[in-house]
Amino acid sequence: MSDQSGQVCPWCQTEIVWDPEIGPEETCPHCFNELGEYRSIRLEIGKSGQKDGRDEDYEEEEDEEDYFDEDLETDSLDAYEEGAQRVLDTQEEAPECPSCRSFMLLAGTQSAAPSFVPFVHETVKEPIVKADYSAQVYVCPSCFRVETILSEKDRLSMMEPLKRS
């Protein structure tokens, strides 16, 4: 059995540490995506002058464009990650994504839907969240999950009836 202590999830980029008695993980314990060969490809990138792993019978035409510019994509991804980090540095609050554990970016504010009807608990005798509440909308820069969190003003107003009950 190969040493899997340095395994990294290809989906959320989290290192996976597993117990040698149980064996390797079949799914990532962080993002729950499947690990292994399913939906995964392996690319071998060698230095110039080395075999690149392609079939020798396949001859690439010299005038054919290279459809994958690795440097351009890496630079673009680095710029994206740096931009996301600059935004995170300015945020007062950055919740963790429940899927991949990356910090989420504040995308905006959302008002309650007109169809929202607050529930009145018997013990509190009034709604814990008002009909005109607002929520902050966060988006994950890694997996693009969207989450909403009650605004700070509405969190504070929610605490008052609960304290009185």
Side-chain angles (χ1 to χ4, degrees), residues 3-165:
D3 179 29
Q4 299 257 338
S5 61
Q7 184 179 14
V8 175
C9 174
W11 307 101
C12 67
Q13 304 300 314
T14 305
E15 184 177 7
I16 300 169
V17 180
W18 52 271
D19 185 354
E21 291 179 15
I22 297 172
E25 299 284 344
E26 292 181 8
T27 59
C28 175
H30 304 283
C31 68
F32 305 108
N33 277 302
E34 294 178 17
L35 301 173
E37 300 301 320
Y38 180 68
R39 293 188 294 178
S40 297
I41 61 169
R42 299 217 186 282
L43 299 175
E44 293 182 24
I45 301 173
K47 296 178 183 171
S48 61
Q50 289 183 336
K51 281 188 156 185
D52 59 4
R54 288 185 284 189
D55 189 356
E56 291 181 20
D57 293 336
Y58 175 78
E59 292 184 24
E60 187 175 338
E61 294 179 22
E62 290 181 22
D63 61 341
E64 190 174 330
E65 287 185 33
D66 185 14
Y67 290 104
F68 179 70
D69 187 352
E70 187 177 316
D71 293 334
L72 179 62
E73 185 160 316
T74 302
D75 291 345
S76 178
L77 185 58
D78 289 343
Y80 171 74
E81 289 172 351
E82 288 171 9
Q85 188 58 49
R86 281 192 297 276
V87 171
L88 283 169
D89 292 343
T90 64
Q91 286 184 197
E92 287 183 32
E93 185 177 53
E96 238 183 38
C97 175
S99 291
C100 69
R101 306 290 184 234
S102 293
F103 290 114
M104 300 182 85
L105 304 173
L106 179 62
T109 308
Q110 178 179 0
S111 298
S115 61
F116 176 73
V117 177
F119 181 77
V120 178
H121 293 273
E122 287 182 31
T123 57
V124 182
K125 307 276 192 262
E126 63 180 293
I128 58 172
V129 176
K130 307 292 184 215
D132 62 344
Y133 79 90
S134 63
Q136 295 170 319
V137 178
Y138 289 90
V139 64
C140 177
S142 298
C143 69
F144 303 102
R145 182 180 180 120
V146 176
E147 292 288 322
T148 56
I149 299 175
L150 199 59
S151 69
E152 186 173 352
K153 175 185 74 112
D154 291 311
R155 282 182 243 171
L156 293 173
S157 72
M158 178 182 141
M159 290 178 185
E160 293 306 316
L162 292 173
K163 287 179 189 176
R164 291 190 298 262
S165 68

